[in-house]
Amino acid sequence: MAYNLLKGKKGIIFGALNDQSIAWKVAQRAVQEGAEIVLSNAPIALRMGELNKLAEECNAPVIAADVTNNDDINNLLTKTQEHFNGGVDFILHSIGMSVNVRKSIHYTENNYDFTHKGLDISALSLHRILQAALKMDVINEWGSVVALTYIAAQRVFPDYNDMADNKAYLESIARNFGYQYGIKKQVRINTVSQSPTRTTAGSGIKGFDGFVNYAEKMSPLGNASADQCADYCVTLFSDLTRMVTMQNLFHDGGFSFTGVTQAVIEQMEK
Ligand code: NAI
């Protein structure tokens, strides 16, 4: 069901890789709600070709940008301004990657070249995008930026590895840049801390199925799906949440504030 919540709004969606991606669902929901969007992902992700399907469905241009590269980001923002003949009202940052996770390198053995790469892609990229957007005045007043994160930023989930540190950094950037962009242009910046979700990035985490099942049992409402995450992001892009900024917002069926559930106790008694 659509409510026209984003009628007339324009946005950039980073990170749709395939139809499991959270960004894919956000793109679809944003367009259903009346938005016009530009899609962006790393050049290597575009070569896989799947994003073209979404672009067609959403009638959206695809502009490649490796988020660790300033020139790519400047080019994306310039082309986006040309396309819309003006600025954007929302940005979704749905980007994450850890080489240490990919190579199954234990947290205590992390390779720092890999750590730097993962930090650059997963966290600093938010700063990079916001810095360029501010310089080029890309985000309209009362615009909204959402970045996706995970509760491993606050609590230990050992197999989340250095992505936990990346997410803590990402959330801190959202808070600090949220202050600066708020003062200058009334732009709000938040992170959404999503339940574990079966996607390409998610499934890269060791023991991911156990992770998902545990969270499901530990959440009074169960795990939040990617589609439900998209619904939530749409509300944050809409004018209904104009005074929400610098927050880390849990979208996790209650997991983050649950000590234990009956389902977990029963499991332990077996
Ligand atoms: P995904 O694998 O579909 O999305 C990750 C995206 O990051 C991909 O589109 C990938 O191409 C992009 N990316 C990687 N390196 C890049 C670079 N250098 N430049 C530009 N883009 C680059 O997986 P998912 O799960 O949809 O991830 C989206 C976000 O949601 C990530 O920030 C992830 O950490 C976060 N998240 C995921 C959860 C899960 O369980 N799947 C739970 C909580 C948060």
Side-chain angles (χ1 to χ4, degrees):
M1 180 150 172
Y3 307 88
N4 262 338
L5 282 177
L6 304 183
K7 192 161 184 254
K9 292 200 186 293
K10 297 167 172 60
I12 304 174
I13 306 272
F14 286 93
L17 181 65
N18 53 37
D19 62 7
Q20 293 186 313
S21 298
I22 298 170
W24 192 284
K25 313 283 187 191
V26 177
Q28 289 175 320
R29 279 298 284 127
V31 169
Q32 274 171 23
E33 289 296 333
E36 286 175 64
I37 57 168
V38 163
L39 294 163
S40 184
N41 209 326
I44 189 165
L46 299 192
R47 264 177 250 137
M48 292 174 179
E50 289 203 46
L51 192 54
N52 293 335
K53 276 190 278 176
L54 181 67
E56 223 170 276
E57 181 188 326
C58 295
N59 194 19
V62 177
I63 303 173
D66 175 341
V67 290
T68 63
N69 182 312
N70 287 348
D71 292 340
D72 278 13
I73 289 176
N74 290 340
N75 175 57
L76 162 69
L77 297 181
T78 305
K79 288 203 170 132
T80 300
Q81 281 177 316
E82 284 167 10
H83 173 70
F84 288 134
N85 201 12
V88 300
D89 305 291
F90 64 89
I91 294 179
L92 177 77
H93 177 289
S94 184
I95 302 162
M97 205 281 297
S98 157
V99 189
N100 286 307
V101 167
R102 279 209 184 159
K103 294 190 182 283
S104 300
I105 298 171
H106 193 268
Y107 183 73
T108 58
E109 301 292 329
N110 276 183
N111 168 311
Y112 300 127
D113 289 335
F114 297 161
T115 306
H116 277 137
K117 178 92 183 151
L119 181 72
D120 205 4
I121 293 177
S122 311
L124 267 182
S125 57
L126 179 63
H127 197 289
R128 217 181 273 279
I129 292 164
L130 291 169
Q131 185 180 95
L134 187 59
K135 278 192 188 136
M136 297 166 68
D137 197 15
V138 172
I139 309 178
N140 297 331
E141 284 195 8
W142 294 103
S144 172
V145 179
V146 170
L148 293 176
T149 187
Y150 184 59
I151 193 175
Q154 288 82 29
R155 309 217 201 297
V156 175
F157 293 81
D159 291 330
Y160 208 64
N161 209 319
D162 61 336
M163 275 307 287
D165 301 327
N166 295 341
K167 291 304 192 190
Y169 200 128
L170 178 79
E171 291 174 19
S172 180
I173 291 171
R175 208 160 33 242
N176 285 289
F177 226 118
Y179 171 85
Q180 302 292 347
Y181 228 138
I183 296 242
K184 292 187 172 76
K185 295 284 288 187
Q186 292 84 45
V187 167
R188 55 204 201 269
I189 306 176
N190 295 290
T191 48
V192 167
S193 189
Q194 163 69 7
S195 296
T197 314
R198 284 193 176 83
T199 62
T200 306
S203 311
I205 305 289
K206 203 172 130 217
F208 189 70
D209 283 339
F211 229 52
V212 172
N213 295 338
Y214 171 71
E216 175 76 20
K217 281 199 172 14
M218 272 292 284
S219 310
L221 301 182
N223 286 332
S225 69
D227 283 305
Q228 289 164 331
C229 186
D231 286 342
Y232 191 39
C233 290
V234 162
T235 67
L236 292 169
F237 296 149
S238 82
D239 289 336
L240 300 180
T241 51
R242 285 179 124 194
M243 296 307 282
V244 182
T245 192
M246 300 158 64
Q247 303 297 313
N248 179 44
L249 303 162
F250 289 103
H251 183 257
D252 64 359
F255 176 85
S256 43
F257 279 75
T258 301
V260 75
T261 57
Q262 196 58 38
V264 169
I265 289 175
E266 280 166 17
Q267 190 79 27
M268 297 308 291
E269 282 173 344
K270 274 182 194 163

